[in-house]
Amino acid sequence: MSAPPLILMQGISKRYGELWANRQVTLAVAAGEIHALVGENGAGKSTLMKILFGLVQPDEGNIHLDGKPVAFKHPKEALRAGIGMVQQQLLIFPQLTSLENIVVGAEVRRWGVLNRKETRRKVEALCCSFGFDLPLDVHADEISFAHRQQMELLRLLYRGARILLLDEPSSLLAPAEIERLLALLRAFRAEGHTIILTTHRLREVFAIADRITILRRGELAGTWQRDQTSAQQIASLLVPAGDDAAVPNGDGINYLSPGRIAGSLSENASSPSSRPRPESMKDQECWITAPAADSDPEFVDMTGNGGEAMLGQPSSELPPEAPPILSVETVTAQSVHQEPGITDFCLQLREGEIFGMAGVVGNGQRVLALLLAGMHRVSAGTIRLGAHDITNTPTAARLEMGIRWLPENSLEEGALAELSLWENLLLGFQRRPSNQTLGWLHKKRIMQKAESRLELSRVAYTNITQPLSDLSGGNQQKVILERALTEPLKMVLLEQPCRGLDIHAQRETHRRIRSLIRAGVTFLIFSYDLEELLSLSHRIGVMYRGRLMGVTHTHRAERELLGQWMLGAPE
Amino acid sequence: MSIARNQHPIIKQLEPLVATLYALMAGMLFCIILAYFLGTGSFELISAIWEGAWGSPNAAAATLSKLTPLLLTGLAVSVAYQAGLLNIGCEGQLTLGALSAACFALTASQLPRLLLMPLTVLVGALAGALWTLPAMWLRQKRGVHEVVSTLLLNYVAIYLADYLARGPLGDGSAMARTAEIPLESTWRAVCSVGTIGVTAAPWAALIAMCLVHVWLYRTCGGYEAGACRSNPLAARAAGIPVNRRQTRSFLLSGALAGLAGALEVAAVHHRFYAAFSPGYGFDGITVAFLVNNVPGWTWLSALLIASLRAADKWLQLALGISPSTILVLQALLLITVASRVRLPVPGRTRRRSLLGHLFGYPEQTRQ
C-alpha cells in the first residue's frame, strides 16, 4: 500500500483505571477497503472505534485523516468529517417510521419547512443504489433487528458518511441476515466507501475483509492482508500460547474457549494436526479426554492452543433415564412491551439438562423467561415443575422451589447498586426463617453467611457493608450470580450468560454451569450466539415469533437447519 | 473498569452530617454576601439568627415547639424516599391530620382521657395516611407521577379544610376555626422553658424517629422497601410485591405527616384554624434532604430548620431585615443539597438528585 492511508491512528492509548483498553495501538486504513478489527472481548476494539468517532478521548496518540491531523471532541465533528459509527446498541426512535428515523435532525428543508418529498426521494435513491430492503413507512418498533441496523446505516449514508465504523454488526443476526449485511457492505465498498468493522466471527472476516488487524488485550498484534494469512494463524494470535485463558477446566472436559470466536470454518477444520501441540500436562489431559474431536468437523477451536478437540459435544451425555423436571404445556402468553408473546408453546426439560434456546433477538425469548420466573401471566396452558403445577405460582414461591432467573442485563435488572453486598445477597430470601424472626432481620448471621459465600466464590471486596457499586463490573456480576445460585436450586434460567464477559469470566461461568448440572440442576440458556449454545447445551431449540420452531440434540444439530429455523422457514 | 472506591463504614455513616455541614457552609456564605448588601456586619446577621433561635429560654422554647412538626414531616419525606417515592404532599396530609384530630376530639369528648388523648393523635395520623391513597392509586393504575399528584392534592386538602373550618365544622365565630378541643384530649406541659410550657410532643417525635430508623434498617419490611427504591425490577424479580410495599411506605409517610398535624392541635394550638400550617409540610422536604433522607439524622436538620424558622421575627426586630430572608436562606440550603452532583458510576443506574426527580421525566411505571 504505497498511497498514504485514509485513516492513520498512531500510538493510541486509553486507560481505564488499572486497565489499558488501548496501549500504543497503531491502525492504518486505506481508502475503499473493508478493514476488520479482530480480538477477544475486552481486547479494545470498541474503544479504538469510539476514539476514532470522538466518543472517547484518547490519553495519548494522534489521528490523521487524509494526511491531516484531526482530534474529534464529539461525534458531531466526526460526522462532519464523513465518519459514522453504528454501535452495538442501536439508537432508534420507536414511534417514528424508518424514514423519519433515518432523516431525523437532517431533514431537507425549504424556507424552513420540511420538504418531505425531496427527503423521501433522497432516501429512496440511497436504498436503490445499495440494495437496501428496508420498509420506509413502518414504525421502527415493528421492524426486525436486521432492518433497524440497516436503518442506522442509512442514517449515516444519508448524512454523507464515507467511512463507516461498525461495532459487532453481526452479533444479533441470523445466518441469512448476516449474508445480506455482507452483501450491503460489499456494495458500499464498490461505491468507494471505507468500512471498519469489529467482529468475533472469523468466518465473516474471511468472507469480506481486505485487511485484518488483531488486537490482544488492548495491544496491537499486527495487521495482515486477508490472502496472506489463514484462519488458524489469526486464531492462534488471538490468544497467545501459554495464556492461562487456554487452560482447560479441571474436570477434563474441553469446551469452546472463546465461544464466540469459533466460526464455522469447515474448510479449515480438516487439518488439526498442523497446529502446535499444547505444552502443559493439563492441556494434554484435555487432549485425550476431549470426546468429540473428530465427530464434528464443523467445529474448530479458534483458541489456537491446540484445541482441535472443539466441542460440539456438551460436557457429558445426559443420562437417558433423567426424569423430566419442567414441562411447559401448550402455553400462550401476551406480549411484553416490544417482545412478542408466545403461542401454544410446548417444552420439556429433564433433570440435569442444559437446554439452549436460540433465536434472533425479539422472538419471544424474554416472555418465556418471564413466564417461567413467574413475572408474567399465562393466558392458557400449564407449567409444571416436577409434579407441581406452577402455572400461577408467584415469584417468591418459585424462588423457594428453586427456580432462578438471571436476566440479560443482570446488573441493571438484578443489582441493588447502592445497597451493600450482604443486602444484595439477601434479596429474595429475606423472608426465610433462618434470616428473620417476626420480621426482625438476623443481621449478624446474614452478614457472616454472606462473607463466607463471597469468599468461596472469590469475589474481591473489602467490607461486607460496602455498596455493590464499589466493586468492579465483573465482581458485581459474580455477586448477582452467587445470589441466583442460593440453595435450594432446581432450575436456572440464564439470559445471555456470557455477554460482555471476558474470556476468563466466560470460562468460569461455563465451568460453574457444568459442575451444577452434575448436581441435578437444570439450565435453560437463552442466547443469540449459536456457537455458545452448541458448545454448552445438550439440546437446542429455536424460537421464532413466539413459537418453538424445532428442537434438536446438539451432536446432531445441523447449522443450516438451525439457521433456517431462526428465520422462520419450516423444516 | 471502575476503580474501587473504598470507604470506611464509619465515614459512610456520617455522610448525612457532612451533607448538613456542607449546606450550612453555603448558608453562611449566603449570609455574608447578604450582609454586605444590607450594610450590616455579617457577624451581626449570623449572631442575630442564633440569638433569635437560642438567645433566651423563651426563644429556645419557641424553637423546640417548631421542632416537632418539622421532625415528623421530615421523617415522612424520608420514609417515602427510602421506598423510591417522593412525598411532596405533607402539607395537605398535615392539614387534614390536624383537622381530623380536632374534629375527633370534639365529637368523642365523652371518652376517658386515657383513650381520648392517644386516639386523637391516631385519628390524625390515619387521616394523613388516607390522603396519600389517591396519589398511590394514580401512580400505580394511571401512571401519574406522585410528585405531581401529591403536590396538587395539597391544595385540595388545604382549601377543603379551609371551607370546613369556616362552615360546617367552624365554631360559629368569624375566625375560620373550630372550637377548642376538650382539655382531656390535649397534651399538657411536662416542663417549662422560660415562661413557656413544653409538652412531651418533641419526645414523641424523637421516639417516632427512632422507630422509623430501626424499622428501615433492621427489619424485613424496611429492607424490602429499600430494595424497591434501589431497583424495582430486581425487587420484583425477587418476589417482592413492589407496588404493595411502596403503598405501605407511602401510607406510613402520610401517617407521620398527619401525626405532625395532630400533635400541633393536641399539644400547641388546641384547635384547628384555617391556614393551619406555616409550610411545615414543604419544610419537611428540606429537613429530609439535608441529611440524605436518613431518618436517624432527621433531628439534626429539623433542629437547624426550626432554628431558622424561629429566628425570622427576631431578624426584623434586631436588624430590621425582612423575615422572608429566612425563606430565601432556607431555599438556598435546599438547592445546595438537592443539586449536589452525584458522579455516575459505570454499570449502575444514575441516582437522581431531588431536582432531577422534580424536573426529570417520571420513571417508567410498572404494572
Side-chain angles (χ1 to χ4, degrees), chain A residues 16 337 375 395 399 412-413 415-416 418-419 423 426-428 430-431 439-441 443 462-463 466 469-470, chain B residues 1 4-6 9 214 217-220 223-224 227 229-231 233-234 236-240 348 351 364:
Chain A
Y16 290 107
H337 302 304
M375 297 184 56
T395 310
L399 274 177
E412 247 166 67
E413 297 180 46
L416 308 175
E418 72 266 39
L419 296 193
E423 284 170 305
L426 183 65
L427 186 65
Q430 71 275 10
R431 295 271 168 194
W440 186 263
L441 289 175
K443 226 163 154 177
T462 46
N463 194 310
Q466 73 186 127
S469 54
D470 275 8
Chain B
M1 288 226 201
R5 297 162 297 118
N6 294 322
V214 166
Y217 293 109
R218 294 308 304 259
T219 69
C220 253
Y223 169 77
E224 289 178 352
R229 182 203 67 222
S230 176
N231 190 341
L233 279 177
R236 209 161 81 82
I240 297 173
R348 89 175 205 207
R351 258 203 291 170
Q364 198 183 359

Side-chain angles (χ1 to χ4, degrees), chain A residues 402-459:
Chain A
I403 300 183
R404 300 296 145 72
W405 173 51
L406 211 62
E408 177 177 347
N409 307 313
S410 59
L411 291 186
E412 247 166 67
E413 297 180 46
L416 308 175
E418 72 266 39
L419 296 193
S420 63
L421 298 177
W422 69 267
E423 284 170 305
N424 269 284
L425 275 178
L426 183 65
L427 186 65
F429 308 103
Q430 71 275 10
R431 295 271 168 194
R432 280 197 176 162
S434 60
N435 289 333
Q436 52 100 19
T437 314
L438 298 173
W440 186 263
L441 289 175
H442 301 311
K443 226 163 154 177
K444 212 170 217 160
R445 200 189 303 165
I446 294 168
M447 279 157 77
Q448 276 167 358
K449 237 184 344 188
E451 267 171 350
S452 65
R453 285 181 65 185
L454 291 187
E455 241 119 71
L456 271 179
S457 54
R458 276 175 269 152
V459 173

